[in-house]
Amino acid sequence: MAGATRERERDLELLIPVAGGGGGIIADNGASNSKSSSTSSSPAAVISSSHHHSGREAFSKVIRSWASKKFMSGCVILLPIAITFYITWGFIHFVDGFFSPIYNHLGINIFGLGFVTSITFIFLVGVFMSSWLGASVLTLGEWFIKKMPLVSYIYAASKQISAAISPDQTSNAFKEVAIIRHPRIGEYAFGFITSSVVLQRSVGDEELSCVYVPTNHLYLGDIFLVNSDDIIRPNLSVREGIEIVISGGMSVPQILTTVNSRAIQATRIGNFPAVKV
């Protein structure tokens, strides 16, 4: 009995570490399997998440680009309309303010009545100034204005600008739209013919045209005396030329045609002042 008991205890001593070691090995194998499975599954998860993030970022970029383009398109369309309405509304209020205080003083509060009265008054002034009596009154008024030191310069500059767009082509107005070769061969400048002269020299007479080339809208520019035969005359009116200058060239037609300069010059021959050299 005693021998059997000792063998049993020895067997238990041998089995316990083995079981523990086997359990440890099993536990270690489970941990290693879990680690290997986690390490084998982690790269795929990272790649899928990165692809998902990049796709979402690309989609957001497309949406932002589309939205910004549509917003800018809306601004491009609405900006000139808004500016037109704003300037027109301000002009109506400005013109209406000339006679509206008179109507308000009389107790007549009708919006637009002062504007209609102002437009009618401007039309009647144009009719009156076109007559001989109106021209005499205007000449007398200009004589008084020219005697004033500061006012005379302002009036002279304003008159030159208004004369440029006047339907009556006076001697101070722009005569024609002109294209000259400037500043070098192959380049052209857009300008206006203001006057014409005949340069008398010992070798013969030369017909010159005074061409005004704006450099800062219509207020500043350069003046060139160009031979009339070297001027290109496009089929544009003076008002169209002014619109082209003010718009910075954006209203230039895609195709420009020229007019017969000889026919225009024939109507003006004999009216040129002579310049002797």
Side-chain angles (χ1 to χ4, degrees):
M1 291 294 293
T5 302
R6 283 196 300 272
E7 290 179 0
R8 190 181 300 166
E9 289 177 357
R10 190 166 55 249
D11 292 336
L12 289 176
E13 290 177 358
L14 294 174
L15 288 174
I16 288 173
V18 171
I25 292 171
I26 294 171
D28 292 339
N29 290 334
S32 62
N33 290 333
S34 63
K35 287 181 181 179
S36 62
S37 63
S38 63
T39 54
S40 62
S41 61
S42 59
V46 170
I47 292 172
S48 62
S49 63
S50 64
H51 280 301
H52 180 70
H53 180 71
S54 61
R56 185 170 57 185
E57 186 177 354
F59 179 75
S60 64
K61 286 183 179 179
V62 171
I63 293 297
R64 287 198 301 268
S65 177
W66 178 83
S68 62
K69 288 181 179 178
K70 297 303 178 183
F71 180 79
M72 291 303 298
S73 300
C75 290
V76 170
I77 294 172
L78 292 178
L79 183 62
I81 298 175
I83 292 175
T84 302
F85 274 101
Y86 179 78
I87 294 177
T88 304
W89 187 255
F91 175 76
I92 292 174
H93 274 275
F94 176 75
V95 177
D96 185 75
F98 288 112
F99 289 94
S100 59
I102 299 176
Y103 289 114
N104 293 333
H105 183 73
L106 296 175
I108 303 174
N109 297 321
I110 301 176
F111 178 76
L113 186 59
F115 176 77
V116 174
T117 306
S118 300
I119 296 299
T120 305
F121 176 75
I122 294 172
F123 174 76
L124 293 177
V125 168
V127 173
F128 176 72
M129 291 302 174
S130 300
S131 63
W132 176 82
L133 180 60
S136 301
V137 173
L138 180 61
T139 303
L140 182 62
E142 288 182 346
W143 183 80
F144 280 108
I145 291 176
K146 290 179 180 179
K147 298 297 181 180
M148 302 178 183
L150 180 62
V151 179
S152 61
Y153 294 105
I154 300 174
Y155 178 77
S158 303
K159 186 178 179 180
Q160 289 177 359
I161 296 173
S162 62
I165 59 176
S166 173
D168 299 328
Q169 296 298 308
T170 61
S171 59
N172 294 327
F174 293 156
K175 303 292 185 182
E176 301 174 61
V177 179
I179 298 176
I180 62 174
R181 291 178 176 86
H182 175 76
R184 59 180 65 89
I185 298 175
E187 296 184 5
Y188 298 88
F190 198 84
F192 302 92
I193 298 176
T194 57
S195 61
S196 300
V197 298
V198 174
L199 181 63
Q200 294 182 348
R201 298 183 297 179
S202 58
V203 295
D205 298 344
E206 183 180 4
E207 181 184 331
L208 301 177
S209 295
C210 183
V211 180
Y212 173 74
V213 179
T215 56
N216 184 11
H217 292 286
L218 291 175
Y219 310 110
L220 297 175
D222 299 324
I223 300 174
F224 299 94
L225 287 175
V226 185
N227 191 301
S228 299
D229 295 332
D230 296 334
I231 296 176
I232 302 174
R233 292 173 169 83
N235 191 15
L236 296 173
S237 64
V238 174
R239 292 188 179 182
E240 290 174 339
I242 293 175
E243 290 178 359
I244 292 172
V245 172
I246 294 176
S247 65
M250 291 185 291
S251 60
V252 177
Q254 294 183 353
I255 299 176
L256 287 175
T257 58
T258 59
V259 297
N260 188 3
S261 60
R262 290 295 179 183
I264 298 174
Q265 294 170 16
T267 59
R268 297 178 179 173
I269 197 70
N271 297 326
F272 298 148
V275 179
K276 294 183 179 181
V277 179

